[in-house]
Amino acid sequence: MRTGAAAGHRGFFHETALYGSEQELLSILTPFLVGGVDAGEPTLVALGEANERLVRSAIGRSPKISYLSGTYSRPASVIASYRKVLAAHVADGAEQIRVVGEIPNPGLGEPWDWWARYEAAINHAYDDFPMWAICLYDTRITPADALADVLRTHSHVATADGRHLANDHFEDPVAFLNQRPPARGDALEASAPMVELIDPTPAAARRALRGVRLAADALEDLMIAVSEAVTNAQLHGRAPVRLRAWAGDDRVVVTVTDPGPGPTDPFAGLLPASDSPRGGCGLWIVHQLCSHVTMSRDGDGFTLRLVAGSAKLPVPSQAG
Amino acid sequence: MVRRSGEIHNVRGLGISDHVCWVFDDPECYHARLIEFFADGLDLGLRLAYFSDGPPDRLPHDLRGLDGVDELTARGALQFHSVDDVYGSGPVDPDVLLENCAAATDEALAAGFRGLRVAADATSLLRTAEQRDAFARWERRLDQYMLRHPVSALCAFRGDELGSDAAAEIVCLHPLIRPETSPYQLFSTTTADGADTADFAGVGLRGELDLLALDLLTRTLNRAVGPVPAPMWVIDATGLGFIDHLNLVALDDFARCRDTTIVLQTVLSGPARLARILRLNSVQVEVLT
């Protein structure tokens, strides 16, 4: 039997908590975490370093709480990991799993667009499981447009005075994902690309980028991602396929554009297109190997943008 | 036996168990390689076996540039074989050809030679898909035999007659090839941990496996590879420069059908991350450092 605000709910109970101080954060999280432990429910904490320290010192030692450091790396990877963890808990008999999470904040320069897609997509991706999640956002640093997206993607809001309110701003995830604004280009794209290829083979694409300066693992991952992106365009897009690439001091940006409409699946890239790896995996793999990925449509067609290396953006000047 | 593998621009200096595929458009290019290969073979003390679909009186012309053809023939150091007589007109029978090869090798050794060196233009045996499938199985069996026996071979085909895709079906089964004639090579070798056994020679995999190699790899696995060891098949992929998810999944499908697990030994870390993402059940990637 599920407990707390999620009692009687089927599937994923997706709540956000907007806090403006450490006291507000603890007011929201302490009853949530203690409630999970008392109910014997798996209780997972996936926070940034500072907030994890805060919670640990407030809650004290509790072997019943699992701390998952460094969880939020790439949205597609997070979904795959959580689904595996949730399935294991359900197989062990868990009737509810509580999770508190803190996504890399755009107020600190982390790219927001793909995490906004993540917040919408998990309403579908985690709905197979009895999961109650609280997603934390610090109103002191989170930009206003990101907060607006947060309210559109969470069905409930947890407040510091202990309420769990139904959220009137919540939108159907498919509708949210289909209405995303066009992705912004990277600043490097303002200059001439170092590579521009028309209808490259996957091998030609890899050859053109093999000399870029990246750490060894990041370079290998970029080779795979670029090859998968070109392969995907050849299999599912239309000719001509145009690949462009730019290299900066700390990152490489690659765009692959074709005049086709792009994927129609609103969850493309965040989930594999089918349950089997036998097809529809290219975009999903790209999303797990790159520091940032965007997909957009305009007059030129469909563009997949990959970033390897640092994906951090200039910190916004105002928040909340 | 120490064998070379990779891409080569000539056939000089090859050893007594080396196996090379030479796709050519220019007959003079093949001729130059043929003479190089045979001249080196004589220096190594090997019996030469030349396979041709031409008449016997063309032999001196085919081997012009090789000194003492008549004397070599008279003392049994050079033998001429008709392709039609040895291979027949239909798809080849690998079992029969392997028996013949083993017998010829034993005869060469018994006659005091250090082994057998073979050269053949097999274009006429590769015109249909059925012929190529059978020949691919033969090349695989021959390569496994050569790993442990003193037989070296120059297998040549007319690329302009077969087309690059058809030629690649055979080229890919050779440890030594010309550049850009096959996206990958799958051949017999001694693996890093010496995992070859009496029944199964180790296998090496070189090249780059992406969308353009996928159909060829699938065809090779399903039609040419033959029996593989179980429960584990170790593949030395230290020469593999790239593999994408489509080809990893193809290897996984093949391994599952054969009730084995492929252990891909590679120097790349990317395939290991890719295999974890895909959660493959029948392929393990072992990164060698």
Side-chain angles (χ1 to χ4, degrees), chain B:
Chain B
M1 305 274 176
V2 175
R3 301 176 91 206
R4 286 175 53 183
S5 62
E7 293 180 342
I8 53 176
H9 296 275
N10 60 62
V11 298
R12 289 192 293 270
L14 298 184
I16 63 173
S17 287
D18 279 325
H19 189 189
V20 58
C21 185
W22 200 265
V23 181
F24 66 96
D25 293 344
D26 175 7
E28 288 305 313
C29 172
Y30 169 51
H31 175 259
R33 304 290 82 76
L34 174 62
I35 301 309
E36 272 174 0
F37 193 59
F38 272 178
D40 279 357
L42 291 173
D43 290 343
L44 288 171
L46 305 173
R47 167 176 278 173
L48 310 179
Y50 176 59
F51 289 75
S52 170
D53 54 8
D57 58 3
R58 274 197 62 87
L59 179 62
H61 178 75
D62 284 358
L63 296 181
R64 65 195 179 283
L66 188 67
D67 291 336
V69 165
D70 290 342
E71 182 266 334
L72 292 170
T73 309
R75 66 177 174 88
L78 170 62
Q79 295 177 331
F80 168 68
H81 301 280
S82 158
V83 166
D84 283 344
D85 289 348
V86 173
Y87 291 100
S89 59
V92 301
D93 184 334
D95 290 333
V96 169
L97 293 182
L98 189 60
E99 263 185 51
N100 292 346
C101 179
T105 305
D106 289 343
E107 282 168 21
L109 292 170
F113 296 95
R114 289 186 61 214
L116 186 67
R117 175 157 282 197
V118 175
D121 175 353
T123 305
S124 62
L125 302 171
L126 303 174
R127 303 218 186 270
T128 70
E130 192 188 0
Q131 282 181 309
R132 289 192 298 276
D133 282 346
F135 205 89
R137 285 192 293 275
W138 156 234
E139 286 280 12
R140 183 85 195 98
R141 299 281 300 277
L142 174 63
D143 194 57
Q144 288 173 301
Y145 179 80
M146 291 166 75
L147 184 65
R148 301 192 181 110
H149 296 87
V151 179
S152 46
L154 169 62
C155 308
F157 324 116
R158 293 286 303 247
D160 54 343
E161 288 189 30
L162 296 179
S164 55
D165 288 350
E169 292 174 27
I170 309 300
V171 174
C172 70
L173 292 160
H174 291 76
L176 292 168
I177 64 173
R178 295 185 75 180
E180 297 181 10
T181 53
S182 175
Y184 70 88
Q185 298 160 258
L186 190 147
F187 52 91
S188 296
T189 188
T190 305
T191 53
D193 57 2
D196 50 319
T197 66
D199 295 324
F200 295 102
V203 163
L205 183 61
R206 294 180 56 91
E208 299 202 352
L209 291 167
D210 62 18
L211 178 65
L212 298 185
L214 181 63
D215 284 348
L216 181 63
L217 178 69
T218 306
R219 190 181 189 99
T220 299
L221 290 172
N222 291 332
R223 301 191 195 197
V225 159
V228 296
M232 204 164 276
W233 183 28
V234 178
I235 296 180
D236 177 351
T238 50
L240 191 66
F242 180 81
I243 183 166
D244 70 0
H245 88 273
L246 293 170
N247 285 275
L248 271 176
V249 166
L251 289 175
D252 189 68
D253 283 345
F254 174 79
R256 194 174 52 259
C257 287
R258 297 295 185 95
D259 287 327
T260 192
T261 296
I262 289 176
V263 177
L264 208 63
Q265 294 177 332
T266 172
V267 298
L268 305 171
S269 59
R273 287 190 287 282
L274 204 45
R276 273 197 301 275
I277 288 171
L278 294 167
R279 286 158 70 177
L280 300 177
N281 292 318
S282 301
V283 170
Q284 295 171 12
V285 179
E286 189 180 305
V287 182
L288 303 179
T289 49

